[in-house]
Amino acid sequence: MVAAVSSPSARASSATVAVEGLSHWYGHAAMRRQVLQGVDLTITPGEVVLLTGPSGCGKTTLLTLVGALRSVQQGSVRVFGQELHGAGRDVRQRLRRSIGMIFQGHNLLRCLTAEQNVQMGSDLLEGLSYRARRDQARQWLRAVGLGDELGKLPHDLSGGQKQRVAIARALAARPRLLLADEPTAALDSRTGREVVDLLQSLAREQGCGVLMVTHDPRILDVADRLVRMEDGRLMQDG
Amino acid sequence: MNQFWRSRRIPLAWLLLARQPMRLGVALAGIAFAGILMFMQLGFRDGLFEASVTVHKLFDADLVLMSPRTMSSIGMAGFPRRRLVQAMADPEVSGTTPVHWNLLLWRNPQTRNTRSILTLGFDPTDPLFTDPTLTEKAKALTQKGRVLFDDRSRPEFGPIAEWFKQGKVVETEVAGKRVRVAELVSLGPSFGADGNMLTSRETFLQLMPGTPPGSIELGLIRLKPGADPAQVAARLKTMLPSDVSIYTKKGFEEFEKNYWRSSTAIGFIFTLGAGMGFVVGCVIVYQILYSDVSDHLPEYATLMAMGYRLAGLLGVVAREALILAMLGYLPAYLAGQGLYALVRSGTRLPVEMDPQRALLVFGMILVMCMGSAAFAMRRLADADPAEIF
Ligand SMILES: Nc1ncnc2c1ncn2[C@@H]1O[C@H](COP(=O)(O)OP(=O)(O)OP(=O)(O)O)[C@@H](O)[C@H]1O
Ligand SMILES: [Mg+2]
């Protein structure tokens, strides 16, 4: 099946993400159902790609496969040149350190302050002193406009603030790829807009590719490229 | 040092515990309770066994002769006193003391009730105890009908020490015969005897006229400096007839402790009690850690999605357990010490916080916490980072 990837183009090998002929199934035997059908997708460094499509078409599934959270069943997924098809647990775990993830819910650690939550991201960086990592966490929080809320627990932050902490946490690990699944779903439209703008500008600064799933039509303009998915197939436009 | 700052991380284990003070409190109370239970049970067990040899430990002897028919200090059989004289033939034996040993009835001079008292009869010029103050006091025993009373005997024997210190002449009946307290000594009650008194051989035979002539219950043997007690014991064993048994001093104490160990359920009961404390602690810690891991499962999954290793997260649970063990042990240790003091003053049992037991209980608490953590960790396997989007 790996052999199906016959001639990786020059573009694909330098790409942040290169997906070719990716198919995925859920369930076993009679319950087995195909949710991805031969998906091809390339994201170049620094490119912001927005993924839309009806509910249940397989967007989250694609994201988890690119994010090395699930093992690839068929086809090829290469992230930073690393083939994920057949990659073991350890390879995927190490790769995830370079992938920032932002979830629909904020998924912050309830027992940690905003600063400590962000430091859980910068703690993944090797060879830095504790103080350096803490300073970075503070800088990221300032960058997302939460310089005054360092010591607050998630419990005491608003939804938008929590999502911004989550962005800071994702970026603090200096990822080369950012995956976001409906990061604005829990926010009102104005806050959502702010969060997405922030995400885009910070990702641009870092030269970090972005793959974002969204249903929100008002934020589509941040994209370099829009990709639409239907029934497990991608239809690219522009 | 540099390495430390590099490897230092957010103290996640501690924060997980500290940000839930209620749960932490319950966990610590549970562990402390289990620890206190173990301290008490093991303390009582060891204290009771130790208490069986309060008097044994005082003797000035390297080796000890007893009758092979003797099973314990509450039933000492006699053997020929000649055996001690024969033992003197060994070049490394420096001295011996024949001792009469029996439980006699002491009449409380205040209430007129009688109670068994351990009575030792010896020649007042012979060394008996390692305590040098006894030599002086023993001189008073040369007069017939005089005894040295143990002021640490249980109060049921009467206010003897109190009266004596007030300068009164304290007289009472032992085995139906009149005796007078000549001095006080401090020995302490043991398992088999609530009180003790010392007297001369003559007085002892007067109190126990039925004693066969030339028969004693205990023979103390002292060796020259540098002699190996085990070697001399082996030589004496071949030299002396089989109507005596030879023990080292330690062996003598062990013999007595073993009697109480094997003939009573004390060891079993208290070990069982300690085991129950252990089990209760395990259940509590497991419950706490399990619900802690379950509650934070999405957060653990998030950390895995961020690239944290499963082993690292297992380490967090293990560190939580370690923190619980250390924080829970501290109050258990302090409370244990307080309770031991209470027991000592209330029952005069020699219950001490000996380092070995302190370490044992800490080890049990550690095993309790880490074992529970190991089981609670299995819940972490359910943290699937793919399910968090
Ligand atoms: N773990 C799973 N086991 C079985 N089926 C699943 C699983 N996860 C998703 N599915 C199914 O696979 C299909 C695609 O799911 P997916 O979550 O990728 O859709 P989506 O495009 O993200 O939808 P939405 O916009 O509602 O989030 C859906 O029909 C869903 O029911
Ligand atoms: Mg989805």
Side-chain angles (χ1 to χ4, degrees), chain A residues 78-96:
Chain A
R78 266 176 300 145
V79 180
F80 320 133
Q82 166 74 50
E83 175 59 63
L84 287 181
H85 189 156
R89 238 170 206 282
D90 285 353
V91 172
R92 287 190 284 134
Q93 172 255 320
R94 236 170 296 125
L95 192 75
R96 288 204 293 266

Side-chain angles (χ1 to χ4, degrees), chain A:
Chain A
M1 275 183 268
V2 186
V5 190
S6 47
S7 62
S9 64
R11 182 175 135 90
S13 66
S14 70
T16 302
V17 176
V19 177
E20 285 177 54
L22 176 65
S23 296
H24 198 82
W25 289 263
Y26 282 122
H28 295 279
M31 301 295 289
R32 198 164 145 96
R33 213 165 64 76
Q34 188 162 12
V35 288
L36 293 183
Q37 318 200 14
V39 170
D40 296 307
L41 174 71
T42 309
I43 300 173
T44 54
E47 192 181 21
V48 178
V49 176
L50 253 59
L51 179 60
T52 60
S55 180
C57 68
K59 304 183 295 293
T60 299
T61 306
L62 178 60
L63 226 57
T64 56
L65 285 165
V66 172
L69 294 169
R70 243 182 239 291
S71 39
V72 176
Q73 293 171 348
Q74 186 183 320
S76 160
V77 175
R78 266 176 300 145
V79 180
F80 320 133
Q82 166 74 50
E83 175 59 63
L84 287 181
H85 189 156
R89 238 170 206 282
D90 285 353
V91 172
R92 287 190 284 134
Q93 172 255 320
R94 236 170 296 125
L95 192 75
R96 288 204 293 266
R97 293 177 158 230
S98 312
I99 304 175
M101 298 184 198
I102 296 164
F103 314 95
Q104 187 169 349
H106 54 83
N107 279 41
L108 296 177
L109 271 62
R110 282 168 292 164
C111 68
L112 301 185
T113 62
E115 178 189 293
Q116 288 166 332
N117 261 297
V118 177
Q119 199 182 330
M120 286 309 289
S122 55
D123 272 359
L124 284 165
L125 300 173
E126 312 258 324
L128 283 180
S129 75
Y130 183 79
R131 179 181 289 261
R133 282 178 271 124
R134 194 188 54 196
D135 290 346
Q136 289 199 354
R138 289 188 178 160
Q139 270 168 26
W140 279 113
L141 273 174
R142 257 177 249 126
V144 299
L146 291 175
D148 297 330
E149 326 285 342
L150 297 177
K152 283 200 179 159
L153 293 173
H155 178 74
D156 301 321
L157 295 171
S158 72
Q161 286 174 323
K162 276 186 256 200
Q163 203 55 293
R164 280 189 277 167
V165 175
I167 291 171
R169 176 176 68 179
L171 291 170
R174 295 206 204 122
R176 290 189 280 148
L177 171 66
L178 205 58
L179 302 177
D181 196 357
E182 302 182 46
T184 60
L187 308 176
D188 64 64
S189 61
R190 202 171 66 84
T191 329
R193 179 77 221 181
E194 276 170 18
V195 164
V196 168
D197 280 341
L198 183 69
L199 208 142
Q200 186 213 22
S201 70
L202 292 176
R204 278 263 155 76
E205 276 171 36
Q206 303 290 307
C208 161
V210 176
L211 176 59
M212 189 187 324
V213 173
T214 185
H215 286 299
D216 191 345
R218 273 165 301 199
I219 60 171
L220 298 182
D221 59 299
V222 300
D224 296 322
R225 189 148 56 96
L226 277 177
V227 180
R228 193 169 161 73
M229 183 177 252
E230 246 161 58
D231 258 346
R233 287 195 181 80
L234 282 192
M235 9 218 112
Q236 315 215 3
D237 38 52

Side-chain angles (χ1 to χ4, degrees), chain B residues 19-31:
Chain B
R19 293 274 155 80
Q20 289 162 294
M22 269 299 279
R23 186 175 283 177
L24 178 64
V26 171
L28 292 186
I31 295 166

